[in-house]
Amino acid sequence: MNVLVTGGMGYIGSHTCIQMIEAGMTPVIFDNLYNSKETVLQRIEDVSGSKPEFVNGDVRNKALLIETMKRFNIESVIHFAGLKAVGESVAKPLEYYDNNVNGTLVLVDAMREAGVKSIIFSSSATVYGDPATVPITESFPTSATNPYGHSKLMVEECLTDFQKANPDWSIVLLRYFNPVGSHPTGKLGEDPQGIPNNLMPFVSQVAVGRREFLSVFGSDYPTKDGTGVRDYIHVVDLADGHVVALDKIGKKSGLHIYNLGTGNGYSVLDMVKAFEVASGKRIPYKLVERRPGDIAECWADPSKAQKDLGWKAKRTLEDMTRDSWLWQSNNPDGYPE
Ligand code: NAD
Ligand code: UFG
């Protein structure tokens, strides 16, 4: 099956391409390299033995999308492309709505013209806002507190309305919890530009000596140790979730929504300790003020994906921290240009 993977050069997309190739699928990557480097393609080949076709393009370029879908006989789309930094979205809302919302509308319009009726969209647990309780099921109310979250919610709503009007389409909304880790070969991983926003890339950079210490945002949350609790999921488990979704429901018309998480909550300090064990390095940290917009706890009830798709995250906290460290220690400055 030929699948257009928008944003396939990025963190989650590149790992998904590898799992797809291993499952016998053919990814065709469509990415404008805004937040990734072309060397990723070589790494995908090194690991999987196959170099995907790559089109350097923007998802707001409808004509190029249509041409690409026709040229490669695309049957389904996995849509990762977009901007993802919460803080930046507050400063640049227009860019976020244009890339994430407009980009998706152009893509779906192009799919319609090319006759492709199956899409998996990268959504986020951020659409649950500050949940009243945990674990979170797919039927929880949705809300957003920043432009990034709004953009994800808007896309979910657009796609839901579109699917109602076009009942023969298959639309899958995958709500990711906190993706971490890297490929177990250490050849692919997360390569944030500038100061990392997310916990694990920051911790990895402290371990490798690029940063002096970690700031732990808040130690007075109503959690077991006062620090924020999240559902960290190994990026390869997440990638497998896409392969299974494509295989099981990529051709089944309807709107399908799934949480992709492990169902386990770990605190910031749990993650720091686990990383220290995996790396053998001490991670100096300072307890500082809460980060505005953060919530105390967020973890998934992943049982719907298990029941319908037979998918369950398999990799442990030890796997996540070991693989993160392997990637970071082998590639202290990320991907080469
Ligand atoms: P990433 O930045 O590593 O990958 C995104 C890729 O999309 C990059 O290669 C970038 O160059 C490309 N891109 C951006 N705008 C584009 C455009 N207009 N046209 C073509 N390509 C474009 O991000 P990621 O962590 O792999 O995330 C992938 C998706 O998953 C995003 O939609 C993100 O919002 C969503 N998501 C990520 C997380 C997370 O914590 N990483 C959590 C929940 C949801
Ligand atoms: N944290 C720190 N120090 C840091 C970075 C993070 O203490 O330097 C803490 C946060 O306060 C939080 C936890 O580590 O308690 C995780 O923070 P991340 O920034 O790694 O992840 P978030 O849960 O805040 O956000 C992630 C994605 C968002 C997505 C959200 C919900 O980055 O895109 O999950 O899916 F919207």
Side-chain angles (χ1 to χ4, degrees):
M1 181 173 22
N2 295 353
V3 182
L4 188 75
V5 183
T6 76
M9 300 291 263
Y11 172 47
I12 305 171
S14 58
H15 287 82
T16 302
C17 286
I18 290 175
Q19 299 310 101
M20 289 171 74
I21 293 166
E22 283 177 5
M25 297 173 177
T26 307
V28 173
I29 298 178
F30 191 96
D31 196 304
N32 66 359
L33 300 176
Y34 176 81
N35 196 35
S36 47
K37 299 198 182 108
E38 208 164 340
T39 37
V40 169
L41 214 52
Q42 186 58 49
R43 299 287 177 99
I44 294 176
E45 185 181 14
D46 292 349
V47 170
S48 70
S50 166
K51 192 179 217 157
E53 295 284 353
F54 168 57
V55 176
N56 187 340
D58 192 297
V59 287
R60 292 161 294 186
N61 184 343
K62 186 172 151 192
L64 184 59
L65 281 169
I66 294 173
E67 187 205 310
T68 306
M69 285 191 259
K70 288 188 174 160
R71 177 150 67 106
F72 294 104
N73 290 318
I74 295 298
E75 292 175 54
S76 287
V77 174
I78 307 184
H79 180 34
F80 292 106
L83 306 181
K84 62 165 184 174
V86 174
E88 186 187 59
S89 79
V90 177
K92 297 180 173 176
L94 221 56
E95 284 81 349
Y96 272 68
Y97 293 126
D98 186 30
N99 238 287
N100 295 1
V101 183
N102 182 33
T104 307
L105 299 184
V106 172
L107 171 64
V108 172
D109 198 20
M111 289 172 66
R112 183 163 59 173
E113 288 194 28
V116 181
K117 297 180 177 180
S118 157
I119 181 169
I120 295 182
F121 172 64
S122 295
S123 190
S124 162
T126 195
V127 301
Y128 296 116
D130 192 353
T133 54
V134 273
I136 300 168
T137 68
E138 289 82 353
S139 57
F140 270 37
T142 54
S143 67
T145 53
N146 56 68
Y148 170 72
H150 280 133
S151 75
K152 290 287 169 192
L153 210 47
M154 282 180 202
V155 171
E156 285 206 358
E157 285 163 359
C158 292
L159 291 176
T160 302
D161 289 343
F162 181 80
Q163 203 284 326
K164 266 187 215 146
N166 298 274
D168 56 332
W169 278 56
S170 167
I171 297 191
V172 186
L173 310 178
L174 297 181
R175 295 175 176 162
Y176 313 155
F177 281 68
N178 288 57
V180 298
S182 66
H183 198 268
T185 55
K187 287 189 179 288
L188 289 107
E190 193 169 7
D191 181 19
Q193 307 303 305
I195 302 170
N197 299 301
N198 297 113
L199 178 66
M200 291 315 278
F202 203 104
V203 169
S204 310
Q205 292 193 5
V206 173
V208 85
R210 276 173 71 179
R211 318 244 163 231
E212 206 183 330
F213 63 89
L214 170 74
S215 295
V216 176
F217 299 141
S219 50
D220 58 350
Y221 285 109
T223 58
K224 61 174 189 170
D225 60 18
T227 67
V229 169
R230 296 291 183 274
D231 186 337
Y232 297 94
I233 173 169
H234 196 295
V235 65
V236 178
D237 276 329
L238 194 66
D240 283 338
H242 293 74
V243 173
V244 172
L246 207 53
D247 191 41
K248 291 264 165 76
I249 51 174
K251 288 281 152 57
K252 208 167 125 191
S253 58
L255 179 82
H256 314 280
I257 305 179
Y258 292 102
N259 283 342
L260 294 186
T262 66
N264 302 313
Y266 291 108
S267 73
V268 175
L269 296 181
D270 286 336
M271 298 307 286
V272 169
K273 277 180 212 135
F275 201 91
E276 287 185 331
V277 172
S279 63
K281 303 272 178 191
R282 208 174 64 80
I283 310 293
Y285 66 84
K286 289 184 186 165
L287 303 177
V288 303
E289 288 297 295
R290 292 181 180 192
R291 182 170 64 179
D294 273 358
I295 57 177
E297 294 189 287
C298 173
W299 76 83
D301 176 343
S303 55
K304 186 174 176 229
Q306 183 167 11
K307 186 167 149 277
D308 293 3
L309 308 176
W311 172 89
K312 191 177 186 297
K314 294 190 288 230
R315 292 163 181 85
T316 62
L317 181 58
E318 196 189 340
D319 298 327
M320 301 179 210
T321 48
R322 182 200 55 230
D323 295 340
S324 288
W325 175 241
L326 188 63
W327 156 253
Q328 189 69 59
S329 50
N330 286 348
N331 306 269
D333 299 313
Y335 291 109
E337 286 299 339

